[in-house]
Amino acid sequence: SSSRTKTLTLRASPKRIERMLKVVVALCLASASAFSFGSSKTAAPVGVDEMEIGVQAPAGFYDPLGFVAKDGPEAFIRRRAVERKHGRIAMMAITGVLVHNADIEFPGYLSISEDLKFSDVPNGLKGIFTVPAAGLAQILAFAALVELAWWPASNYSGDYGCGFFGTQYEGEEKITKLNAEMANGRLAMLGIAGAMFAEGQTGMTLAEQLDSGKLLLF
């Protein structure tokens, strides 16, 4: 209808928004400090290029269980591709957690037939149980389309011709960007796992933990 706005709905208090912004800044600073890109390179086992994306200071080539020596470089390349994909998904997930916990939501209805608005979906893990079954099926179908056809999982390079917001990089600059993506993905995997475990342990969403000042597991 004409009364519906096309802008995002912001229902959070200024205090909560300020706290959420602090969390975002803290995550960005942690990413920059925890994963620096030094000029030195750590040699990898025979058969694995030492410039393989994700081999970063301070850990260098980190394989304490010896999977590469046991399974060979081809298995390593596949596992690196899986790690990259998990990192990308985790970055989207933690961004969604921060945005939704700031009460920034789409206007209108998630399901008109069930009279369910986007603003009716609760924050945190409870939200997934509010989405209608048809909606979950659509999400899974779209994920299958991406995984099997659009951006196939068989492409271990992770390069689908999209670039970085349309910008293409080459040489050392491209390696730096890919390393940054890998580092941010690793941090995001830790972030989303921590958010889920903390909510499961405390029963409070991230925003509720921030409001109460109790960012603890217990």
Side-chain angles (χ1 to χ4, degrees), residues 121-183:
V121 178
N123 296 337
L125 298 176
K126 295 179 181 178
I128 193 66
F129 300 104
T130 309
V131 179
L136 295 176
Q138 291 174 38
I139 293 173
L140 293 176
F142 179 74
L145 172 65
V146 173
E147 184 79 3
L148 299 175
W150 192 2
W151 294 339
S154 57
N155 182 357
Y156 289 170
S157 71
D159 187 353
Y160 303 109
C162 302
F164 183 75
F165 292 101
T167 303
Q168 301 289 337
Y169 296 97
E170 298 296 337
E172 290 294 327
E173 189 175 16
K174 181 176 182 178
I175 292 174
T176 299
K177 295 294 184 182
L178 292 175
N179 273 320
E181 179 193 36
M182 186 66 71

Side-chain angles (χ1 to χ4, degrees), residues 3-186:
S3 62
R4 292 183 182 176
T5 176
K6 293 185 178 180
T7 59
L8 294 178
T9 303
L10 181 63
R11 300 190 289 105
S13 65
K15 184 177 180 181
R16 175 175 291 183
I17 296 173
E18 180 182 357
R19 287 180 176 176
M20 294 302 298
L21 289 175
K22 288 180 179 179
V23 172
V24 174
V25 172
L27 287 173
C28 293
L29 292 177
S31 173
S33 61
F35 298 97
S36 59
F37 310 114
S39 59
S40 60
K41 303 178 183 63
T42 303
V46 176
V48 177
D49 185 0
E50 66 177 1
M51 289 298 295
E52 187 72 39
I53 301 303
V55 181
Q56 299 167 292
F61 188 91
Y62 190 69
D63 184 24
L65 299 180
F67 284 119
V68 174
K70 181 181 68 173
D71 300 331
E74 291 184 0
F76 166 75
I77 292 174
R78 179 187 177 279
R79 287 174 180 141
R80 179 65 82 220
V82 171
E83 180 187 20
R84 181 185 296 109
K85 178 170 291 187
H86 288 170
R88 289 173 174 176
I89 295 172
M91 284 188 282
M92 291 189 290
I94 194 64
T95 300
V97 167
L98 293 173
V99 170
H100 206 225
N101 273 271
D103 288 329
I104 301 174
E105 292 137 357
F106 288 111
Y109 285 84
L110 173 63
S111 174
I112 296 179
S113 62
E114 298 191 20
D115 194 28
L116 179 66
K117 296 182 179 180
F118 285 101
S119 57
D120 295 330
V121 178
N123 296 337
L125 298 176
K126 295 179 181 178
I128 193 66
F129 300 104
T130 309
V131 179
L136 295 176
Q138 291 174 38
I139 293 173
L140 293 176
F142 179 74
L145 172 65
V146 173
E147 184 79 3
L148 299 175
W150 192 2
W151 294 339
S154 57
N155 182 357
Y156 289 170
S157 71
D159 187 353
Y160 303 109
C162 302
F164 183 75
F165 292 101
T167 303
Q168 301 289 337
Y169 296 97
E170 298 296 337
E172 290 294 327
E173 189 175 16
K174 181 176 182 178
I175 292 174
T176 299
K177 295 294 184 182
L178 292 175
N179 273 320
E181 179 193 36
M182 186 66 71
N184 291 336
R186 290 167 175 168

